[in-house]
Amino acid sequence: MWSRGTGRYALVMLGAWLIVALVSLFWTPQPLLATDGYHVWDTPSASHWLGTDGTGADVLSWLMAGSRTNLAIAALTVVCSGALGLLLVGLMVSRSHALASVSVAVVDALISIPTVLIALLLAVPFGASAAVVVGACSIAYGLNLARVARPAALLAARSQYVESARSNGMGGFGVLVRHIVPNITPVLAVQLSMSAGTSVLAEAGLTYLGVGVGAGVPSWGHSLATSVKLINVFPLTVLWPGLVVTLAVVALNLFGDALRDAADPVANPALRTAGPRPTHWRKGTSDDR
């Protein structure tokens, strides 16, 4: 991945994101709750490197603290949507024709529900929180993952080696984990990286609508929502969180593409030339015979 320009950019940006998230646990330029009523919507200065928002809080401090919230949302979305998507894939390629047909129909029906509507339905009983963002994104992106990965999974499920494994007594879960999932890994890499990137955008949009991260919780969407109303007057305050979101989403999308190319023998010639190392036998031993 490092040998490719897109992969290098993705690794550098994701590494910087992780470092900033870890540093924000122990240090930020200003305390998050510190406000300065005399320097509201301030421009960048020595005391506030990226300026202040409408309450006089330091923008850089909130962006640094929000990086760990968005990182947790993206990671949890990948895990939950991946688990849901693989479960649905297993049902859609099941040997039971009735179960597979019902699973395909259910996925096709549910995939049309917008993520915003799912978030609104979850926010009614649970309230606005990061868990609502993760739940809505996981359901929506898990359905999309299952729909996209189904053709490749179905092709692998009908292969001769899968039939041989089943005839030798391997169950459906073993076939899914040992044979189907490795064959759809390139699709999973791209879809899960897109899910992580889209979850960052979804967090910003859902927080702006009031069903995302709760008030007082630092996140990039919170920084955007508190300043977007005065974008015509104070554009710099909106520029910084918008730029951070853009860089993170691009890095996540490119990470999936670079990971797919690095792991795909068709796109990576080095994998086609790789092979077992030669074994040098000692002369005069029985192994030579």
Side-chain angles (χ1 to χ4, degrees), residues 7-260:
R8 190 180 303 112
Y9 167 81
L11 291 174
V12 169
M13 292 302 301
L14 295 180
W17 185 2
L18 180 60
I19 292 174
V20 171
L22 293 176
V23 170
S24 67
L25 293 172
F26 309 100
W27 176 84
T28 54
Q30 300 289 338
L32 294 181
L33 299 180
T35 58
D36 188 356
Y38 295 99
H39 296 87
V40 176
W41 304 113
D42 200 2
T43 56
S45 61
S47 57
H48 302 286
W49 297 347
L50 297 183
T52 60
D53 59 10
T55 62
D58 185 62
V59 173
L60 178 59
S61 299
W62 277 83
L63 289 179
M64 290 181 61
S67 64
R68 59 178 183 261
T69 303
N70 285 87
L71 182 61
I73 290 175
L76 291 174
T77 299
V78 168
V79 173
C80 297
S81 63
L84 177 60
L86 290 178
L87 175 62
L88 294 174
V89 166
L91 296 176
M92 295 167 72
V93 299
S94 175
R95 300 183 69 180
S96 174
H97 181 71
L99 179 60
S101 301
V102 171
S103 301
V104 172
V106 170
V107 170
D108 288 340
L110 295 179
I111 201 173
S112 61
I113 302 177
T115 307
V116 177
L117 181 57
I118 299 176
L120 291 174
L121 294 176
L122 294 176
V124 173
F126 301 109
S129 64
V132 170
V133 179
V134 174
C137 293
S138 298
I139 295 174
Y141 306 153
L143 294 170
N144 186 65
L145 172 62
R147 194 67 182 87
V148 173
R150 178 179 176 268
L154 191 59
L155 183 63
R158 293 177 177 176
S159 61
Q160 293 181 355
Y161 58 86
V162 170
E163 293 296 333
S164 176
R166 284 172 173 166
S167 64
N168 289 329
M170 182 176 292
F173 181 76
V175 170
L176 177 66
V177 174
R178 297 188 59 181
H179 297 291
I180 295 180
V181 171
N183 280 277
I184 62 174
T185 297
V187 179
L188 294 178
V190 175
Q191 290 299 316
L192 291 178
S193 65
M194 291 181 61
S195 299
T198 312
S199 68
V200 176
L201 295 175
E203 184 274 324
L206 294 176
T207 302
Y208 178 77
L209 295 176
V211 295
V213 175
V217 179
S219 71
W220 296 338
H222 175 80
S223 299
L224 281 170
T226 55
S227 55
V228 71
K229 296 179 181 180
L230 296 176
I231 185 174
N232 294 328
V233 183
F234 306 102
L236 280 179
T237 310
V238 186
L239 173 64
W240 302 122
L243 181 62
V244 169
V245 169
T246 302
L247 293 176
V249 172
V250 172
L252 289 170
N253 291 338
L254 292 180
F255 178 81
D257 291 336
L259 182 61
R260 178 199 59 189

